[in-house]
C-alpha cells in the first residue's frame, strides 16, 4: 500500500475531494463513496481511504475494514501488464502455484501487488476456462498455456524486448521527422 | 384513501396511457419494415451492437426505410443475437432470426427487405401462427413455457416507459391505488405467492407482518444481488423489463405503508443499473413515482444501491448491514427485517422475481395464479439452464415441471 502517487493521481484526489461534498455525511454513503473513488483512480490508495474517513468522521480502520470486505475494491494500482495466474482445479493439479511463485520471485512482488514502476501486477484467478492448456497464465489479454518456469522468464524478457523495440522505433521516427 | 382522490388518479393515468397507445399505434402503422434487435447484456456479448450497426449502415447505403426497435432479451441465449423482422409488405408474418451476425444482417436487408425473400434456411420461425411458415410455438422450447414474469421481456424497449404502458403496464398499480392495503395483502396471500429468491417464504404473510409492524417509516428493498454462478434471471428481468419490477415495488410499498424503496443491484451488472436508472427517471417524469403520485396522497421514491461484490450480501441481514455502510455480515434472526430492518425500521425485502410476479397476480386475480403450478407453490419459476444442452437460456415454467422435462424436453 506504500506506492507513491503519480501526479495525475494527485490531481484526481483533488477532484475526488470536491466530489465528496456531493455526498451527505452519512455512514450509509461509505460504499457509494468508495465506488466513486475507485471509478476515478481504478484503486483505493491509502491517502484516499484516509480522506474518506476524515470526511465521514469515522475511523480509518473502519473504512479499511469495509473496503477489504468487498471484492470490488482493490488497493494496488493495476500494472501496465497485469499478470493473472490461474489456480483453478486443473491448473492447480498441474502445478499452477509454481508458476505463480515464479512470477512473484522474478517480479519481486506478491500476489495482489504491483511493481514500483507500475509495469506489472500479479493476481491469482480461478478457472479461466481453458483447462486443456493447464497451467495457464494471462498477461495483458493474451492467454499463455502450458506454462513452465523457463517460460515465465521468456515471457517477461519478451515484454522487455518489445518495449525496447518500441522505444527505438519511436526515437527513429522522431529523428526522421527532424 | 378518500374517494375524491380517485377522481384525480384515473384521468391522470388515462392521459399517460393515451399517449402510450398513440405512440404504439404510430409505430405499428408506420408503412415500413420494423427490425427488433435484442440488446441485453447477453445479446451485446454475442455481438448485437455490431449487428445493429450493420443494419443501420446497410439500410442507409441501400436507401431503405425501416424502424429499428431495440428490445430486451427473450431468454433464448443459444440463438443470440436474436432479430425479429416484421415486413408486412412481403406478405410474411414477423419472422424471428437466430444468430444474426453483421454479415447476415446485410444479407437480410438486401434479400428480404429489398427483394422480399425471407431466406427460409436462416429462420427460427414466425412469431405468430400462420399458414406460410412454421411458427416458434411449434418448438417445445417455446410452447412448454408459461410466461408470467417474462411475458414482455424481449418484446418491449426497456428504455422506453411508454412501450411498457402500451402493454397495460402500471395499470395494475393504478388499480391497486383504489384498493385498501388490506385488500392487496389478502389478494397476495390468497394467491399463495412464495418468495422467489430461494427461501420460499409466503410473500403475503411477509407483507402482512410489515403492514402491522409498528414504525412510522417503513422501507422496501428489492433484492437484485444475484450471485450464484450461472444464474442471471434477475439481470435479464431488470435489463428487459425494469418497469414491471418497479410497478411491483410500488404496489408493495403502498400495501405495507412504505414511501421509500432501495434496489440493491450488483455493481457487476452495469447495464442493469443503467437501465433501471433510466426507468426510475422516466417513471418520475410521468408522475408514477415521486410525491403525490398521480394526484393521490401516496408518495414513493426508489433509489439504487450498488452492491460491491460480496456473495453473502444476498442474505437479508447482510444486505441491510451493507446498505448501512458496514461489512456485510449476517446477524441472527429474530428480530426479522420486517420488524427491525434497515436503520432499525420495518423493512420488506423481496426478490426481483417475486416483485415482478405481483402485477400479473393483481391484474388477473389470485384464483388465476393458483391455477398455475402446484397446490402448495403456485405460479411459475424461472431457470437459467446452461451447460451441455442444446437450447441454453432462461426458461419460465410452471412449478411442478420435472427436471427431466426441463432438461430433456425443453432444452433438448
Amino acid at each position: 500500500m506504500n506506492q507513491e502517487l503519480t501526479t495525475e493521481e494527485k490531481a484526481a484526489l483533488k477532484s475526488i475531494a470536491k466530489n465528496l461534498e456531493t455526498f451527505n455525511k452519512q455512514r450509509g454513503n461509505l460504499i457509494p463513496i468508495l465506488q466513486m473513488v475507485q471509478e476515478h483512480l481504478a484503486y483505493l490508495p491509502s491517502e484516499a481511504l484516509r480522506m474518506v474517513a476524515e470526511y465521514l468522521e469515522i475511523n480509518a480502520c473502519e473504512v479499511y475494514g469495509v473496503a477489504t470486505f468487498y471484492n470490488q475494491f482493490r488497493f494496488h494500482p493495476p500494472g501496465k501488464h497485469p499478470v493473472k495466474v490461474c489456480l483453478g482445479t486443473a491448473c492447480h493439479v498441474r502445478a499452477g502455484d509454481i508458476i505463480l511463485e515464479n512470477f512473484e520471485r522474478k517480479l519481486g512482488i506478491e500476489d495482489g501487488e504491483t511493481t514500483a514502476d507500475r509495469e506489472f501486477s500479479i493476481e491469482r484467478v480461478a478457472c479461466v476456462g481453458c483447462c486443456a492448456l493447464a497451467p495457464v497464465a494471462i498477461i495483458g489479454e493474451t492467454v499463455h498455456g502450458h506454462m513452465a518456469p523457463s517460460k515465465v522468464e521468456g515471457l517477461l524478457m519478451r515484454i522487455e524486448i518489445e518495449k525496447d523495440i518500441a522505444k527505438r522505433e519511436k526515437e527513429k521516427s522522431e529523428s526522421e521527422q527532424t | 384513501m378518500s374517494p375524491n382522490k380517485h377522481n384525480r388518479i384515473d384521468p391522470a393515468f388515462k392521459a399517460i396511457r393515451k399517449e402510450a397507445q398513440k405512440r404504439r399505434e404510430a409505430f405499428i402503422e408506420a408503412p415500413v419494415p420494423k427490425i427488433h434487435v435484442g440488446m441485453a447484456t447477453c445479446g451485446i456479448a454475442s455481438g448485437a451492437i455490431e449487428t445493429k450497426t450493420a443494419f443501420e449502415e446497410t439500410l442507409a447505403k441501400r436507401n431503405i426505410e425501416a424502424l429499428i426497435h431495440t428490445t430486451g432479451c427473450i431468454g433464448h441465449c443459444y440463438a443470440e443475437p436474436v432479430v425479429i423482422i416484421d415486413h408486412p409488405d412481403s406478405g410474411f408474418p414477423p419472422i424471428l432470426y437466430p444468430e444474426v451476425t453483421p454479415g447476415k444482417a446485410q444479407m437480410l436487408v438486401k434479400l428480404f427487405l429489398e427483394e422480399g425473400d425471407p431466406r427460409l434456411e436462416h429462420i427460427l420461425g414466425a412469431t405468430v401462427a400462420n399458414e406460410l411458415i412454421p411458427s416458434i410455438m411449434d418448438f417445445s422450447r417455446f410452447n412448454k413455457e408459461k410466461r408470467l414474469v417474462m411475458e414482455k421481456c424481449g418484446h418491449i424497449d426497456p428504455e422506453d416507459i411508454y412501450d411498457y404502458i402500451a402493454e397495460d403496464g402500471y395499470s395494475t398499480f393504478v388499480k391497486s391505488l383504489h384498493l385498501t392495503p388490506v385488500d392487496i395483502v389478502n389478494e397476495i396471500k390468497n394467491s399463495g405467492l412464495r418468495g422467489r429468491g430461494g427461501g420460499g417464504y409466503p410473500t403475503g404473510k411477509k407483507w402482512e407482518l410489515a403492514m402491522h409492524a409498528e414504525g412510522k417509516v417503513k422501507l422496501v428493498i428489492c433484492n437484485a444481488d444475484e450471485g450464484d454462478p450461472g444464474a442471471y434471471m434477475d439481470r435479464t428481468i431488470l435489463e428487459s423489463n425494469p418497469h414491471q419490477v418497479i410497478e411491483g415495488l410500488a404496489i408493495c410499498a403502498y400495501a405495507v405503508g412504505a414511501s421509500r424503496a432501495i434496489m440493491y443491484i450488483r455493481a457487476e451488472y452495469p447495464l442493469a443499473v443503467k437501465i433501471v436508472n433510466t426507468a426510475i427517471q422516466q417513471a418520475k417524469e410521468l408522475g408514477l413515482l415521486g410525491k403525490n403520485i398521480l394526484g393521490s396522497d401516496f408518495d414513493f421514491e426508489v433509489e439504487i444501491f450498488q452492491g460491491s461484490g460480496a456473495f453473502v450480501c444476498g442474505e437479508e441481514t447482510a444486505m441491510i448491514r451493507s446498505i448501512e455502510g458496514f461489512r456485510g455480515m449476517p446477524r441472527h434472526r429474530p428480530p426479522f427485517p420486517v420488524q427491525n430492518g434497515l436503520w432499525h425500521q420495518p423493512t420488506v425485502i423481496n426478490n426481483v422475481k417475486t416483485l415482478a410476479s405481483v402485477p400479473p397476480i393483481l391484474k388477473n386475480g389470485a384464483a388465476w395464479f393458483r391455477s398455475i403450478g402446484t397446490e402448495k407453490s403456485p405460479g411459475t419459476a424461472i431457470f437459467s439452464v446452461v451447460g451441455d444442452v442444446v437450447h441454453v437460456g432462461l426458461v419460465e415454467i410452471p412449478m411442478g415441471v420435472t427436471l427431466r422435462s426441463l432438461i430433456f424436453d425443453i432444452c433438448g
Side-chain angles (χ1 to χ4, degrees):
Chain A
M1 298 216 32
N2 300 320
Q3 295 247 349
E4 277 285 308
L5 291 180
T6 60
T7 38
E8 294 104 62
E9 282 171 355
K10 278 181 190 149
L13 266 184
K14 273 189 194 139
S15 73
I16 287 169
K18 235 181 253 161
N19 269 347
L20 275 180
E21 309 284 323
T22 60
F23 289 91
N24 287 336
K25 285 194 184 195
Q26 277 168 358
R27 176 72 195 240
N29 276 333
L30 175 55
I31 293 172
I33 287 175
L34 291 177
Q35 283 167 342
M36 182 271 292
V37 174
Q38 178 148 307
E39 210 168 281
H40 273 82
L41 283 171
Y43 75 110
L44 301 176
S46 51
E47 287 84 351
L49 289 180
R50 243 175 266 136
M51 208 162 80
V52 172
E54 243 166 63
Y55 180 74
L56 290 178
E57 291 161 10
I58 50 179
N59 283 333
C61 67
E62 276 278 308
V63 176
Y64 186 72
V66 170
T68 46
F69 181 82
Y70 296 98
N71 287 340
Q72 191 191 2
F73 301 118
R74 36 182 307 150
F75 302 95
H76 292 278
K80 222 180 262 164
H81 306 279
V83 177
K84 291 180 190 141
V85 183
C86 178
L87 286 180
T89 312
C91 292
H92 173 81
V93 170
R94 306 208 51 180
D97 50 336
I98 295 179
I99 305 301
L100 177 65
E101 195 269 337
N102 261 280
F103 273 114
E104 286 178 343
R105 190 153 40 85
K106 284 185 181 131
L107 294 173
I109 50 173
E110 299 251 304
D111 165 32
E113 293 182 347
T114 307
T115 50
D117 57 358
R118 304 229 174 152
E119 283 291 321
F120 294 96
S121 58
I122 301 182
E123 200 183 332
R124 53 177 287 184
V125 294
C127 191
V128 292
C130 40
C131 307
L133 303 175
V136 173
I138 306 165
I139 302 177
E141 286 182 354
T142 332
V143 180
H144 300 278
H146 301 301
M147 286 300 291
S150 56
K151 232 176 144 180
V152 171
E153 185 110 348
L155 284 171
L156 293 180
M157 214 187 261
R158 192 158 95 196
I159 290 172
E160 287 295 315
I161 292 169
E162 272 170 9
K163 219 165 74 185
D164 267 6
I165 294 175
K167 201 171 144 198
R168 245 178 285 149
E169 269 177 9
K170 204 177 155 204
E171 276 166 13
K172 203 171 143 197
S173 66
E174 268 168 13
S175 66
E176 269 169 14
Q177 272 173 10
T178 52
Chain B
M1 203 171 284
S2 56
N4 61 348
K5 298 278 187 192
H6 295 167
N7 306 338
R8 264 188 261 159
I9 300 171
D10 284 336
F13 187 62
K14 226 175 177 177
I16 297 173
R17 245 183 104 158
K18 215 170 151 196
E19 172 68 24
Q21 268 152 359
K22 206 175 89 195
R23 287 185 190 209
R24 171 57 64 91
E25 269 160 30
F27 178 77
I28 292 176
E29 279 165 16
V32 292
K34 288 123 204 153
I35 304 168
H36 307 262
V37 189
M39 297 273 276
T41 297
C42 33
I44 289 173
S46 324
I49 290 182
E50 288 82 359
T51 302
K52 189 176 159 231
T53 324
F55 269 119
E56 282 165 353
E57 278 169 4
T58 325
L59 286 172
K61 208 163 76 193
R62 303 198 157 261
N63 228 342
I64 304 172
E65 264 194 61
L67 290 174
I68 294 182
H69 182 230
T70 55
T71 63
C73 171
I74 58 168
H76 291 249
C77 303
Y78 59 92
E80 295 285 356
V82 176
V83 171
I84 297 173
I85 299 183
D86 181 7
H87 185 19
D89 290 349
S90 69
F92 286 99
I95 297 173
L96 192 148
Y97 290 91
E99 293 163 44
V100 183
T101 53
K104 240 188 202 176
Q106 286 166 6
M107 175 200 77
L108 285 173
V109 170
K110 180 169 178 281
L111 295 178
F112 188 23
L113 297 187
E114 207 167 76
E115 293 166 16
D117 173 9
R119 304 305 290 174
L120 290 174
E121 68 271 33
H122 290 295
I123 72 168
L124 193 70
T127 55
V128 288
N130 64 91
E131 288 174 354
L132 284 169
I133 45 178
S135 96
I136 49 172
M137 291 314 277
D138 297 336
F139 294 94
S140 63
R141 181 67 168 76
F142 288 82
N143 65 20
K144 289 222 159 120
E145 278 195 56
K146 168 90 190 159
R147 293 202 160 185
L148 254 81
V149 174
M150 289 179 58
E151 191 194 351
K152 299 184 183 82
C153 290
H155 299 291
I156 58 171
D157 184 349
E159 294 188 80
D160 183 3
I161 188 169
Y162 285 114
D163 232 17
Y164 180 59
I165 296 174
E167 300 237 349
D168 253 1
Y170 284 106
S171 62
T172 317
F173 170 54
V174 172
K175 194 176 119 192
S176 51
L177 282 179
H178 292 265
L179 304 171
T180 63
V182 179
D183 287 342
I184 298 172
V185 170
N186 280 340
E187 188 76 3
I188 296 292
K189 256 175 100 177
N190 291 339
S191 75
L193 173 67
R194 298 173 64 166
R196 292 287 188 260
Y201 192 80
T203 307
K205 211 168 154 194
K206 196 186 256 183
W207 289 15
E208 191 178 33
L209 286 171
M211 187 172 67
H212 293 308
E214 283 176 27
K216 255 191 192 160
V217 185
K218 293 180 189 172
L219 295 148
V220 184
I221 299 177
C222 170
N223 184 346
D225 191 54
E226 175 183 56
D228 302 278
Y232 51 95
M233 304 78 94
D234 295 352
R235 193 205 74 214
T236 303
I237 295 169
L238 290 176
E239 281 173 6
S240 309
N241 194 357
H243 288 290
Q244 191 165 334
V245 182
I246 295 173
E247 187 179 358
L249 259 180
I251 294 171
C252 171
Y254 175 68
V256 304
S259 57
R260 193 169 161 204
I262 293 170
M263 294 184 82
Y264 193 100
I265 307 176
R266 305 175 71 191
E268 287 94 330
Y269 288 171
L271 186 66
V273 172
K274 187 183 139 235
I275 286 179
V276 173
N277 242 329
T278 319
I280 293 172
Q281 282 309 324
Q282 287 176 344
K284 260 191 200 157
E285 277 160 28
L286 291 186
L288 292 164
L289 289 178
K291 280 217 170 296
N292 297 12
I293 292 172
L294 298 172
S296 70
D297 46 13
F298 175 53
D299 303 338
F300 184 53
E301 296 280 349
V302 182
E303 298 159 41
I304 294 180
F305 187 92
Q306 290 190 41
S308 17
F311 179 73
V312 71
C313 289
E315 199 274 342
E316 297 183 322
T317 57
M319 176 177 287
I320 287 171
R321 292 295 282 169
S322 166
I323 296 175
E324 287 170 350
F326 293 90
R327 298 162 69 100
M329 307 273 229
R331 64 163 169 77
H332 283 290
R333 297 178 299 179
F336 289 95
V338 281
Q339 296 145 356
N340 182 353
L342 186 58
W343 300 305
H344 300 293
Q345 309 295 347
T347 308
V348 179
I349 303 179
N350 276 140
N351 181 266
V352 171
K353 287 159 287 204
T354 319
L355 289 168
S357 307
V358 169
I361 292 175
L362 289 177
K363 187 176 165 203
N364 300 311
W368 165 83
F369 191 70
R370 277 218 169 263
S371 69
I372 305 162
T374 63
E375 198 195 326
K376 282 194 177 153
S377 195
T380 59
I382 306 176
F383 293 89
S384 51
V385 186
V386 291
D388 273 350
V389 289
V390 181
H391 298 129
V392 295
L394 291 184
V395 188
E396 183 171 355
I397 44 176
M399 289 279 191
V401 172
T402 57
L403 262 182
R404 175 181 292 272
S405 172
L406 170 63
I407 294 169
F408 290 97
D409 299 346
I410 298 175
C411 293

